[in-house]
Amino acid sequence: MRISAYRTLGRLFVGEVVPQKKHKLVTTGMYAYVRHPSYKGWGMLMLGHSVALTTPRSFLAAIDVWSSTLGTIVALMLVRLWMMFIPLLCVRTKREDEMLRQAFGTEWEEWAKRTPYGLVPYVW
């Protein structure tokens, strides 16, 4: 999902939330379903890694990391990452939507009406 977002945006895909030279509003591909598919892909990747690391049949469980101090630290770090990720994601998507709304005005507002969800269709 994240790679598809990279490909759809091309040179417009950057780490900073700022308009680029000759910026255009991309509303095709996954951007026709959610406004922030790259962030959704990132979140799914983080969730997948967390599940893969913490399930009873994971590699870390097989080597009995979870009964150690190191295992406890890793588990707490995963929980902390998720606790930080969700609020940061909310702030970043809101900031990016505002920047795009200011840059594209009515074009962005029409797209936001057609694509009302930031990350998860019918949820958020």
Side-chain angles (χ1 to χ4, degrees), residues 103-123:
F104 296 102
T106 347
E107 185 183 0
W108 183 89
E109 289 175 13
E110 289 170 5
W111 173 56
K113 284 180 187 173
R114 289 190 316 271
T115 312
Y117 303 103
L119 297 169
V120 183
Y122 307 104
V123 178

Side-chain angles (χ1 to χ4, degrees), residues 20-65:
Q20 303 299 305
K21 288 182 181 178
K22 297 183 181 179
H23 202 120
K24 65 176 187 162
L25 186 63
V26 176
T27 61
T28 59
M30 288 186 296
Y31 291 89
Y33 303 101
V34 292
R35 291 193 308 270
H36 305 282
S38 174
Y39 300 148
K40 179 179 181 164
W42 183 40
M44 290 170 63
L45 185 64
M46 287 182 64
L47 179 61
H49 281 131
S50 299
V51 169
L53 289 173
T54 58
T55 57
R57 295 180 191 259
S58 70
F59 171 74
L60 295 178
I63 62 172
D64 204 25
V65 166

Side-chain angles (χ1 to χ4, degrees), residues 52-102:
L53 289 173
T54 58
T55 57
R57 295 180 191 259
S58 70
F59 171 74
L60 295 178
I63 62 172
D64 204 25
V65 166
W66 299 122
S67 62
S68 68
T69 303
L70 175 63
T72 303
I73 291 169
V74 169
L76 291 173
M77 287 174 60
L78 288 171
V79 169
R80 183 174 180 195
L81 278 172
W82 269 106
M83 289 174 66
M84 290 172 38
F85 171 74
I86 293 172
L88 288 173
L89 191 61
C90 292
V91 168
R92 184 160 174 114
T93 56
K94 184 175 180 179
R95 206 169 101 199
E96 191 170 303
D97 278 343
E98 183 57 30
M99 183 275 301
L100 290 169
R101 188 188 63 74
Q102 287 179 5

